[in-house]
Amino acid sequence: MEPKWLSWAKEIQGIAQTGLTYAKDVYDIERYEALRELSVDIMAHYTYESKERIRLSFAGEDGYATPKVDIRGVIFRDNKILLVREKLDGKWALPGGWADIGLSPSEVAVKEIAEESGFKAEAVRLLAVLDKKFHHHPPEPYHVYKMFILCRITGGEAAGGVETSETGFFAEDELPELSEERNTAGQLHMAFQYLHNPEKAVILD
């Protein structure tokens, strides 16, 4: 579970963002702006990031506040799972990223696999929709839903990408150091459950 301070900061930010979207009264707008600044103060106190950076990345969005969606493609070959090495931290993750406007979840998974691993793929089925707050990820300012989509390779060859430097297949008992911001060991073990039991139902939360 995520720290309470992070839950509070995100909830306050969500209330402020939605309030600023619909408020008409000048006093209500001032109150929502004060709430937003309070959420920035909480994040700055616990993360030691500058308030300016937090305002840009965390408290700079408009419109009704909704969770972000992170989509990960899951591919198995010879009982091993496809992972890519992230340039940002040098650790390994399932290919994936933020959902793109105009693309379906399956289309995002296929696109991310191609861009990050070099493989062409097609989507097969949804494996899981998880709320990131229930899993052991490092704290972050966004409320994130993670979608895991099983895919199969249809062509291409292993290659790095703009954000990745290396591609590899790993057995369940030989996983490399993982980029836990993107996926946890528990989530990869969950994915392997579908390799062993293809009829397993979709996991929620």
Side-chain angles (χ1 to χ4, degrees), residues 173-193:
D173 60 353
E174 296 179 342
L175 295 176
E177 186 177 11
L178 299 176
S179 179
E180 293 189 342
E181 179 182 342
R182 296 165 179 82
N183 46 214
T184 66
Q187 289 163 353
L188 294 191
H189 293 311
M190 173 202 72
F192 271 99
Q193 293 176 19

Side-chain angles (χ1 to χ4, degrees), residues 3-20:
K4 288 300 295 184
W5 65 263
L6 183 56
S7 299
W8 292 331
K10 291 195 290 189
E11 186 173 353
I12 293 169
Q13 153 58 17
I15 293 169
Q17 180 178 323
T18 301
L20 288 170

Side-chain angles (χ1 to χ4, degrees), residues 76-128:
F76 294 105
R77 187 173 72 180
D78 300 326
N79 295 321
K80 296 181 178 181
I81 197 166
L82 171 67
L83 299 177
V84 294
R85 188 192 289 271
E86 298 286 341
K87 289 182 179 178
L88 191 62
D89 60 11
K91 301 176 185 179
W92 294 81
L94 295 166
W98 295 126
D100 296 304
I101 300 297
L103 296 183
S104 72
S106 293
E107 289 172 329
V108 172
V110 168
K111 178 182 76 73
E112 292 289 339
I113 289 168
E115 291 177 352
E116 296 190 350
S117 77
F119 290 111
K120 296 179 181 179
E122 63 181 5
V124 176
R125 61 164 294 199
L126 177 67
L127 302 183

Side-chain angles (χ1 to χ4, degrees), residues 147-165:
M147 300 179 68
F148 295 80
I149 298 176
L150 181 66
C151 299
R152 66 167 63 95
I153 293 174
T154 59
E157 59 184 21
V162 174
E163 298 177 351
T164 58
S165 60

